Amino acid sequence: MMTGILFGVGSFASEKPANTIHVVYDDSGSMYKTGDNFYDRWCHARYAMEVFAVMLGPKDTLKVYPMGFEGKKSITVTGSQEAQSRIDAIEAMETAGGNTPFLAVENAYRDLHETQTDGNRWLVVLTDGDFNRMEKDEVDKKLLQFASASKPIKIIFLSIGENSSGITHK
């Protein structure tokens, strides 16, 4: 019994803080096809989200925002769910296709910024290229603004595809 109590205290003391992760998923047409060329970028992005979902700790939350819905529609999975149910939710996620509005990133950020948590906040952007009506420098500037906000948010920008453009790390 003493071992059980000590183990419980040790486990509690070293317990990691909960992670709240918001992923913006590029579901634009270029993830599937450009001209006569078909791509499997969408598979890579979806697989990455499935991996994120399976790796969640018991207190973690993952919210996925397909870009085509401009951040107005999302799905949520939690680490307390069975791993297969998390994967199933990602696979069943509705996507809109179409364009790559930065508004989806802004809405995911706003939701993350407003989330009540004492844990880590992560904003992950999975895309194969540029955003509609927004230059790369503007995207860099916005993401740097997000990263320096009053509530610390860790940002990961993952470019998918051989011609994808990244952001500048400053």
Side-chain angles (χ1 to χ4, degrees), residues 105-161:
V105 178
E106 292 174 318
N107 285 334
Y109 167 78
R110 185 197 68 242
D111 290 351
L112 182 59
H113 188 72
E114 293 173 357
T115 298
Q116 298 298 317
T117 181
D118 293 329
N120 299 311
R121 298 166 198 262
W122 293 86
L123 177 63
V124 180
V125 181
L126 295 169
T127 183
D128 70 344
D130 299 327
F131 292 93
N132 295 12
R133 296 176 298 281
M134 193 165 204
E135 294 297 321
K136 184 181 169 301
D137 290 345
E138 291 177 84
V139 172
D140 287 352
K141 187 177 177 181
K142 275 285 196 186
L143 293 176
L144 287 170
Q145 269 182 310
F146 294 168
S148 61
S150 60
K151 293 181 183 176
I153 294 177
K154 298 170 185 171
I155 299 174
I156 299 175
F157 189 94
L158 298 173
S159 297
I160 298 175

Side-chain angles (χ1 to χ4, degrees), residues 49-65:
M49 290 184 294
E50 290 173 5
V51 171
F52 293 156
V54 170
M55 292 178 63
L56 293 175
K59 295 182 179 180
D60 296 344
T61 302
L62 174 69
K63 195 167 185 178
V64 180
Y65 298 79

Side-chain angles (χ1 to χ4, degrees), residues 60-125:
D60 296 344
T61 302
L62 174 69
K63 195 167 185 178
V64 180
Y65 298 79
M67 256 185 216
F69 293 115
E70 299 181 347
K72 297 174 187 166
K73 192 172 194 174
S74 63
I75 64 157
T76 302
V77 295
T78 64
S80 62
Q81 294 172 269
E82 291 294 321
Q84 188 59 53
S85 71
R86 292 180 247 161
I87 291 171
D88 293 344
I90 299 294
E91 288 179 353
M93 177 179 59
E94 182 182 357
T95 59
N99 298 316
T100 53
F102 194 76
L103 183 59
V105 178
E106 292 174 318
N107 285 334
Y109 167 78
R110 185 197 68 242
D111 290 351
L112 182 59
H113 188 72
E114 293 173 357
T115 298
Q116 298 298 317
T117 181
D118 293 329
N120 299 311
R121 298 166 198 262
W122 293 86
L123 177 63
V124 180
V125 181

